[in-house]
Every structure is written in C-alpha cells, then in structure tokens.
C-alpha cells in the first residue's frame, strides 16, 4: 500500500513498486516476502507472489490473520472487483470455507448475491470470539441489483441505506456531516470507477468532483479511510472493449485522480491496480477470480491493518 504520509512511505517503501515472482523462488528465500509457505491461498497453491522492490510484504497464516483483524470492523465499499476481495478476506478469516447462500444480504440474482454482506450475520464462532466484523456494500448503483451509476449514487437514497447498514436500520443521521457514533468502522476501503465509466455523459472532470464528494462522505464515517485504485483489464483490452469505453488508458487516468484526491484529503491509498497491471494471466481481467491476485490484494489489506 502507498501512504500519502511521507514519514510512513520512508519507513516502508512503496508496496506498489515491485514484480511478480514464481512462489517457489520465494519459498527458497530468494524474495523479500515472508511466510510464503504458511500463506493461506484458497482453493489451490500459490503460483505467483508479489514482491515489492523496497520493502518486505508479510504473508499470513489463518491464525495470524485472525490476530490482525481481531477487534476490527472493516468495511469495503465498491463494485464487483471490491466484492471479490471482500469475499476472499471473509473466506480466509473463516478458514477457507465457501460462504453460504443464507449469509448473503445483497442481490439474489445469480452470482451477485454477495454484492453486500455482513459477517456479523455469519455467526461464525471464530469471528465472534475475535470480535471481527467485515462488511461489503455495493456502490455500483443505487439498487443492489443495479449497475452503471458509480459515484452518482451519492445523490440518491443509497447514502441512507449505506449508513443504516453500518449503524442500524433506525439510523437517521445527517449523511453530509460527521456521524456522532460511539464506534465507527476502523477502516473503510472504497473504490469507484468502472461503473462510472459507463454512466451517461461520463467525463473525468465530473468524476474527480464526484470522487472528492465521495471521499468526504466516507471519511466522515470511518476512523481510517483508504481509497483503493481501480484494476486495469488484461492487455488485450488496452484500448477499449467489453463495455469499458475508456480502455486501460482511462483506468490509468482514474487511478491517478484517485491518488491525487486521496492526497488532497489526507487519506491512504491501497494501490491494487499496480499489482493487477503486472498479471499476465489471460483469464483475469479487472477481476481477480478468487485466485492469486485476490490473495495478494487481501494480503495488502492485512499488511495495512497489521502495521
């Protein structure tokens, strides 16, 4: 992760500056990453590992993850690329089991059921014993089953539904001012861009303005806000394609705006885009598919919280 605070960056280096290595090289001690052999990759072996150039990225066992997330309330707000990271983290914390359908609180349409979920509803003993709460909240549209609104949801009833998901169905606070709650989420990790691109009359000037408004909104209801950058598509879609009119050049520009607006607001940046850009797997696009890019994104979040 890349901190906007230079003192932190000077201590840790930039995790977004690095490269992918085959994991067996790291297991032999040839990389800076720690605990490769103990890492929890769900549903398979870890074929590749991200190794930063100027710092060490620590990888974690299931027990270490429980320790890091103990007494933490972490909220992820975003689209399907955020949802799969949130789902991956939840699965890591419950020992790798698939999430059950009855736990879903979002859209029930096909594979979209985990667009929103709250691990407090899971009633998993390990999470309850460690006081861990992970929430995912869909922000791609006003409705859980909707699409292609992006940050335009800030001018809909979505705001109140988001606050009620955090603070209870009876919450009636003013979404435009700081929330006077005895406990705020320890971290909110937010992202929005892919559904913004497809919204009518998209332009980057409006996107920047909407993002600034969104950062201010999320910042009011979190102890720590983190802006996650937007993953590019694989190389065959560098110009455009598959419903993304701006192509990867547009994704890069959105990421730059995300970093600039995070710096302007004094909040942190989680640069998953830099890692995803190095993935050469033809089967992975914006999405990490619950495979090793998801694993590394989850580990970035664990490193952020653990530090």
């Amino acid at each position: 992760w890349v901190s906007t605070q230079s003192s932190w960056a000077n201590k840790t280096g930039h995790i977004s500056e690095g490269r992918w290595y085959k994991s067996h090289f790291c297991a032999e001690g040839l990389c800076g990453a720690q605990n490769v052999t103990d890492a929890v990759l769900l549903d398979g072996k870890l074929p590749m590992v991200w190794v930063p150039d100027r710092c060490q990225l620590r990888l974690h066992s299931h027990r270490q993850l429980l320790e890091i997330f103990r007494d933490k309330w972490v909220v992820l707000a975003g689209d399907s690329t955020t949802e799969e990271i949130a789902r991956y983290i939840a699965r890591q914390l419950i020992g790798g089991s698939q999430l059950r359908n009855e736990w879903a609180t979002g859209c029930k349409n096909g594979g979209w059921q985990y667009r929103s979920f709250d691990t407090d509803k899971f009633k998993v003993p390990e999470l309850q014993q460690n006081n861990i709460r992970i929430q995912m909240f869909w922000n791609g549209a006003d409705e859980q089953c909707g699409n292609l609104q992006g940050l335009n949801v800030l001018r809909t009833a979505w705001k109140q539904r988001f606050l009620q998901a955090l603070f209870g169905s009876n919450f009636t606070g003013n979404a435009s001012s700081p929330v006077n709650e005895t406990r705020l989420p320890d971290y909110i990790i937010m992202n929005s861009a892919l559904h913004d691109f497809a919204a009518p009359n998209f332009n980057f000037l409006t996107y920047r303005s909407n993002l600034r408004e969104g950062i201010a909104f999320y910042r009011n209801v979190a102890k720590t806000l983190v802006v996650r950058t937007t993953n590019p598509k694989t190389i065959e879609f560098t110009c455009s394609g598959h419903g993304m009119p701006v192509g990867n050049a547009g994704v890069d520009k959105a990421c730059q705006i995300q970093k600039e607006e995070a710096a302007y607001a004094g909040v942190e940046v989680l640069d998953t885009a830099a890692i995803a850009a190095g993935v050469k797997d033809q089967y992975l696009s914006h999405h990490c598919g619950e495979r090793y890019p998801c694993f590394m994104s989850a580990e970035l979040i664990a490193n952020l919280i653990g530090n």
Side-chain angles (χ1 to χ4, degrees):
W1 67 296
V2 179
S3 171
T4 57
Q5 301 173 17
S6 60
S7 60
W8 178 261
N10 289 338
K11 290 178 182 178
T12 64
H14 293 281
I15 282 181
S16 62
E17 297 174 6
R19 67 200 71 192
W20 289 98
Y21 284 93
K22 292 183 177 179
S23 59
H24 68 271
F25 289 115
C26 296
E28 294 168 2
L30 300 181
C31 303
Q34 300 178 30
N35 294 358
V36 174
T37 55
D38 294 332
V40 183
L41 179 74
L42 304 180
D43 304 328
K45 296 181 178 179
L46 179 61
M48 303 286 285
V49 63
W50 178 262
V51 180
D53 291 337
R54 295 191 284 146
C55 59
Q56 287 195 333
L57 178 64
R58 189 168 187 84
L59 309 183
H60 302 91
S61 67
H62 171 60
R63 288 293 168 191
Q64 289 170 332
L65 288 172
L66 287 174
E67 180 66 28
I68 286 172
F69 281 87
R70 180 178 295 161
D71 297 323
K72 295 294 190 301
W73 177 11
V74 180
V75 178
L76 295 96
D79 58 18
S80 56
T81 65
T82 301
E83 177 223 332
E84 61 187 354
I85 296 172
R87 191 171 64 240
Y88 195 91
I89 292 171
R91 288 188 61 201
Q92 283 183 310
L93 289 169
I94 64 174
S97 301
Q98 289 285 351
L99 305 188
R100 299 205 300 265
N101 287 340
E102 62 265 29
W103 291 344
T105 57
C107 179
K108 307 294 183 183
N109 182 7
W112 295 352
Q113 67 265 36
Y114 284 97
R115 282 187 162 187
S116 289
F117 66 83
D118 185 346
T119 59
D120 269 7
K121 299 180 183 296
F122 291 6
K123 306 301 182 185
V124 174
E126 278 192 311
L127 298 185
Q128 292 177 318
Q129 292 164 9
N130 289 283
N131 191 30
I132 296 170
R133 185 181 185 186
I134 307 295
Q135 278 184 283
M136 167 64 205
F137 201 85
W138 176 259
N139 70 4
D142 182 25
E143 298 294 336
Q144 294 294 335
C145 299
N147 290 293
L148 309 182
Q149 286 181 264
L151 290 160
N152 293 306
V153 299
L154 296 168
R155 283 167 289 284
T156 71
W158 174 92
K159 272 187 176 181
Q160 195 62 35
R161 284 197 293 274
F162 176 77
L163 293 172
Q164 289 177 342
L166 265 58
F167 304 119
S169 58
N170 295 324
F171 179 80
T172 57
N174 183 354
S176 64
S177 61
V179 175
N180 183 18
E181 286 289 316
T182 56
R183 188 182 178 204
L184 298 174
D186 296 288
Y187 293 88
I188 291 182
I189 300 169
M190 65 83 64
N191 171 266
S192 186
L194 298 179
H195 286 256
D196 295 85
F197 293 152
N201 303 315
F202 170 81
N203 65 78
F204 282 105
L205 186 62
T206 301
Y207 173 73
R208 181 185 291 275
S209 175
N210 287 347
L211 181 62
R212 184 170 294 189
E213 181 182 345
I215 289 173
F217 167 72
Y218 287 113
R219 188 180 185 185
N220 282 339
V221 293
K223 292 179 182 177
T224 299
L225 175 63
V226 181
V227 175
R228 185 180 75 80
T229 55
T230 299
N231 293 356
K233 287 201 172 193
T234 46
I235 194 167
E236 62 266 33
F237 304 126
T238 295
C239 294
S240 66
H242 288 241
M244 190 182 73
V246 300
N248 277 348
V251 174
D252 290 344
K253 185 168 183 177
C255 288
Q256 185 59 38
I257 292 172
Q258 289 159 5
K259 294 174 185 177
E260 290 170 357
E261 290 303 313
Y264 176 81
V267 301
E268 307 293 351
V269 175
L270 185 76
D271 198 3
T272 58
I275 292 177
V279 174
K280 303 302 181 185
D281 192 322
Q282 63 178 320
Y283 300 107
L284 298 175
S285 186
H286 293 306
H287 296 95
C288 55
E290 292 204 27
R291 294 168 64 191
Y292 62 93
C294 270
F295 164 82
M296 294 308 305
S297 294
E299 287 292 346
L300 285 185
I301 293 172
N303 276 263
L304 183 156
I305 294 172
N307 285 313

